[in-house]
Amino acid sequence: NRTRFISFEGGYHGDTVGAMSAGRSSLWWESFAPLMFAGDVVPFPATFDGDEDVESKEALSLEKLEFLLQQGGYAGIFIEPLVQGAAGMRMCRPEFLRAIAQLARQFNVLLIYDEVMTGFGRTGELFASVKSATSPDILCLSKGLSGGCLPIAVTMASEDIYQAFWRDESDKAFFHGHSYTGNPLACAVSVASLELLEQNPNAYQGMEKLHRQYLDKWLKNHPKLERIRTCGTIAAMDVKTESLPGYFNEIAPVLKAQFLEAGFLLRPLGNTLYVMPPYCISPDELESIYRIIRQVLDTL
Ligand SMILES: *Cc1c(COP(=O)(O)O)cnc(C)c1O
């Protein structure tokens, strides 16, 4: 009888009606609002280096979450753990996830991690759940599963959930599937990609240190930047702008064109610049990205 879900402001989970109902990315969401399933949103305590308000932001989110859970009727909580991707690489602390996980247990509500973007090493560990020492009941995976080469996704579930559908009677079975479910070529590519990942853990575990080093060398205290943040293989920063920040900020196409002209494919999300390279990048190549960001920012 529990049919409502809780999700987070800025969350992005995909573009079907169900996924959109759990997501709130302003860009696509508003025009479809009347079609959405019922649900509630909680503020996301996005943080960055030197953020003095992080604890009060987290407390506010947790207070609202607990208030909703006390009303009852909720089936689950959706979150992009540690990093909200599409919303502009908004990062939260592992402590916040641990607090959410605790509330989910306390109120017997499913915790659903959308690790489509954060999975397979992006946060510096194989999964954000590993990095934050939390375990979701349902885990959504895609992108990095095939190294981004072929479309494939996996939804993992705890034994309890799995067993609920594992019956001899077909009326209890989980029949939902897709035309390309289990596509053999995509599976073979994923197995090959997972082998590479297993053989080269340092490619993702060691990248945060390099991001830090180059951020310090090229961009530290740059007058055009604020809210610098890193999580594993992802580094992000906001370009200070006169106009409204966000996805449609007019600085994005200007910056993108300048980077492209210099031979770099960087795609700012509004006024948020981010560096999220493939794991095969060399330290020198990574540094060259920071050098070009510095050059472009100096022309602004
Ligand atoms: C890209 C992305 C999606 C979308 O996945 P589709 O397979 O395109 O539906 C969902 N969630 C997150 C966190 C993403 O980054």
Side-chain angles (χ1 to χ4, degrees), residues 18-278:
M20 281 181 73
S21 299
R24 285 293 188 281
S25 281
S26 55
L27 185 56
W28 305 275
W29 200 85
E30 282 305 324
S31 14
F32 295 95
L35 298 173
M36 296 295 134
F37 302 130
D40 294 282
V41 280
V42 169
F44 183 82
T47 191
F48 44 87
D49 293 358
D51 180 6
E52 286 169 5
D53 301 325
V54 63
E55 279 169 16
S56 60
K57 283 187 281 192
E58 286 176 0
L60 191 77
S61 297
L62 293 169
E63 202 177 299
K64 170 128 196 229
L65 181 61
E66 187 166 5
F67 172 80
L68 290 173
L69 290 169
Q70 277 163 351
Q71 321 291 304
Y74 291 102
I77 303 168
F78 280 95
I79 188 164
E80 288 171 84
L82 293 181
V83 188
Q84 286 188 331
M89 300 301 156
R90 303 202 317 157
M91 299 179 186
C92 73
R93 300 194 304 172
E95 289 91 322
F96 179 64
L97 290 178
R98 288 197 280 272
I100 292 174
Q102 204 175 354
L103 283 173
R105 294 287 168 273
Q106 186 185 332
F107 287 91
N108 190 27
V109 161
L110 297 178
L111 183 61
I112 302 156
Y113 277 3
D114 180 349
E115 292 219 41
V116 169
M117 192 283 284
T118 56
F120 301 104
R122 273 292 158 211
T123 65
E125 292 296 337
L126 204 47
F127 298 107
S129 52
V130 173
K131 185 160 179 165
S132 61
T134 53
S135 39
D137 302 285
I138 296 178
L139 181 61
C140 309
L141 300 170
S142 182
K143 295 184 175 127
L145 174 57
S146 67
C149 285
L150 279 180
I152 182 168
V154 166
T155 305
M156 299 184 76
S158 66
E159 189 63 20
D160 278 358
I161 295 172
Y162 182 79
Q163 287 301 337
F165 293 101
W166 181 247
R167 303 279 171 83
D168 287 334
E169 308 90 78
S170 54
D171 63 324
K172 294 285 185 353
F174 190 70
F175 271 122
H176 289 212
H178 304 277
S179 308
Y180 294 103
T181 292
N183 178 271
L185 185 55
C187 289
V189 165
S190 298
V191 169
S193 180
L194 287 176
E195 275 167 10
L196 277 175
L197 203 64
E198 233 166 36
Q199 287 158 11
N200 303 285
N202 192 52
Y204 56 90
Q205 286 171 343
M207 203 185 287
E208 180 154 351
K209 214 174 110 218
L210 293 174
H211 275 311
R212 286 267 146 219
Q213 189 182 323
Y214 301 141
L215 271 167
D216 272 1
K217 180 170 170 190
W218 295 99
L219 300 174
K220 197 177 184 178
N221 300 325
H222 197 284
K224 291 276 188 258
L225 289 180
E226 57 188 352
R227 296 168 178 269
I228 290 176
R229 51 208 187 262
T230 52
C231 182
T233 68
I234 309 167
M237 60 214 86
D238 294 352
V239 180
K240 289 184 191 165
T241 154
E242 309 274 275
S243 54
L244 226 52
Y247 204 93
F248 285 121
N249 190 285
E250 58 269 23
I251 202 161
V254 176
L255 290 175
K256 186 179 169 184
Q258 288 198 41
F259 288 128
L260 205 52
E261 201 165 315
F264 290 81
L265 188 58
L266 268 90
R267 188 194 67 154
L269 290 161
N271 64 317
T272 298
L273 272 181
Y274 68 100
V275 183
M276 189 168 131

